[in-house]
Amino acid sequence: MSLFNVFNISGSALSAQSQRMNVTASNLANADSVAGPDGQPYRAKQLTFEMAAEPGQQIGGVRVAGISEDQSEFRRLFDPKNPAADDQGYVNMPNVDTTSEMVNMISAARSYQANVEVLNTNKSLMLKTLTLGQ
Amino acid sequence: MIDRLNASLNFMQQSLNLRAERQEVLSANIANADTPGYKARDFDFRAELDRAVNQGRAEGQSGLSLSMTSSRHIPAQANGSVGGIDMMYRNPTQPSLDGNTVDMDMERVNFADNAVHYQADVQFLTSRLQGLKNAMQRES
């Protein structure tokens, strides 16, 4: 354990948060994608984080444990003129919850900022240590 | 002579070591602020510094420990090292639903506080070294 390890910890958090931002961007971009490659409407993706500690270590960074698809019901929109409408005139829309995605985005951005700050502080501390005794 | 020098610098060295260690712990807390179920960690700086000064260096500084590649390995340390730092869990003031106990405000305040203390330690150490250097110089 040394101050260098802090770079790994903050770095892992940065990449995890930017991955979260990626998923949020994908969800928001596809909020109206009625048909994906498989012909089905887009399903919202969710990330799960987990702590990434080396074996035997008590502290560690963070990593993305996996990306899961939101299995909740599709949004049903009444639009008989839409070519994708079923025989009752309803279109299945993606189950993206735009509000919670926006909240997610802000949270990810703030966490990213916090970790950048941590990284900068530690960098300046290390540089200061290098000038010890001068 | 040399061991006297070492003794006079030992306290600051241990303090600096522990500050770096704590910096790491607090960084890990901030990194895991969004991890469900993560419990924020910290240690009692005063108690650990007391132990490090009186009983020797803390774990990780001895340099000789087995690297573990599996969670089923048993940690081993070379002789002469005392037990590692006593890590504790924070008492959450506002528990969250996902079991995460990181309070971002508190962690960041602690982080800033620790960073300033680290800088202060470096500053003290520098001036101590300067003083020694001055004492060793011949009078002109």
Side-chain angles (χ1 to χ4, degrees):
Chain A
M1 287 207 270
S2 73
L3 219 46
F4 276 111
N5 205 8
V6 179
F7 283 139
N8 293 335
I9 292 175
S10 301
S12 72
L14 289 186
S15 80
Q17 295 293 351
S18 63
Q19 210 168 328
R20 183 171 163 207
M21 190 68 105
N22 244 333
V23 169
T24 305
S26 162
N27 284 347
L28 281 176
N30 285 295
D32 293 312
S33 300
V34 179
D38 54 353
Q40 288 290 307
Y42 177 86
R43 277 192 186 278
K45 310 272 190 292
Q46 306 286 348
L47 276 187
T48 37
F49 284 167
E50 69 177 10
M51 193 176 82
E54 301 282 315
Q57 296 284 356
Q58 292 188 315
I59 57 173
V62 59
R63 69 166 160 250
V64 175
I67 300 179
S68 55
E69 289 200 330
D70 190 348
Q71 293 301 325
S72 60
E73 291 279 301
F74 287 122
R75 209 153 30 97
R76 305 265 289 162
L77 189 71
F78 186 68
D79 186 8
K81 277 183 248 160
N82 194 314
D86 59 14
D87 43 3
Q88 285 161 3
Y90 282 97
V91 184
N92 276 337
M93 297 294 281
N95 53 358
V96 175
D97 181 353
T98 325
T99 321
S100 77
E101 293 303 333
M102 293 298 284
V103 172
N104 230 332
M105 181 184 80
I106 294 170
S107 168
R110 290 285 177 265
S111 297
Y112 193 93
Q113 277 177 8
N115 280 294
V116 168
E117 235 166 274
V118 167
L119 203 62
N120 275 331
T121 308
N122 281 315
K123 193 185 77 185
S124 66
L125 285 185
M126 288 183 70
L127 292 178
K128 196 138 198 169
T129 316
L130 284 180
T131 63
L132 191 69
Q134 280 173 18
Chain B
M1 177 64 195
I2 291 295
D3 59 332
R4 286 262 183 91
L5 281 183
N6 187 32
S8 82
L9 294 176
N10 183 42
F11 180 78
M12 299 310 297
Q13 184 198 344
Q14 299 295 353
S15 169
L16 204 59
N17 263 336
L18 276 174
R19 286 285 171 205
E21 207 79 42
R22 181 148 189 253
Q23 200 75 1
E24 196 182 329
V25 175
L26 295 175
S27 304
N29 284 347
I30 294 177
N32 281 292
D34 296 320
T35 311
Y38 177 82
K39 307 286 181 225
R41 314 295 299 264
D42 204 352
F43 58 82
D44 183 351
F45 187 84
R46 181 199 173 115
E48 292 301 329
L49 180 61
D50 199 40
R51 192 163 66 169
V53 169
N54 290 321
Q55 296 178 22
R57 323 181 86 183
E59 183 194 21
Q61 263 74 60
S62 72
L64 284 175
S65 61
L66 291 185
S67 68
M68 290 180 290
T69 50
S70 159
S71 55
R72 292 162 71 192
H73 286 170
I74 299 169
Q77 274 275 310
N79 267 343
S81 73
V82 291
I85 289 173
D86 216 1
M87 295 280 271
M88 293 191 246
Y89 293 98
R90 272 204 209 296
N91 254 338
T93 46
Q94 302 178 82
S96 64
L97 269 179
D98 62 359
N100 187 306
T101 63
V102 177
D103 180 349
M104 206 50 159
D105 302 321
M106 217 169 93
E107 299 300 339
R108 288 177 74 167
V109 167
N110 278 324
F111 184 85
D113 173 83
N114 198 54
V116 171
H117 274 95
Y118 186 95
Q119 295 207 20
D121 278 359
V122 171
Q123 203 73 52
F124 273 127
L125 210 44
T126 304
S127 62
R128 180 78 56 91
L129 289 170
Q130 284 292 350
L132 286 170
K133 249 190 203 163
N134 284 341
M136 284 182 218
Q137 247 141 36
R138 65 184 171 140
E139 270 181 88
S140 55

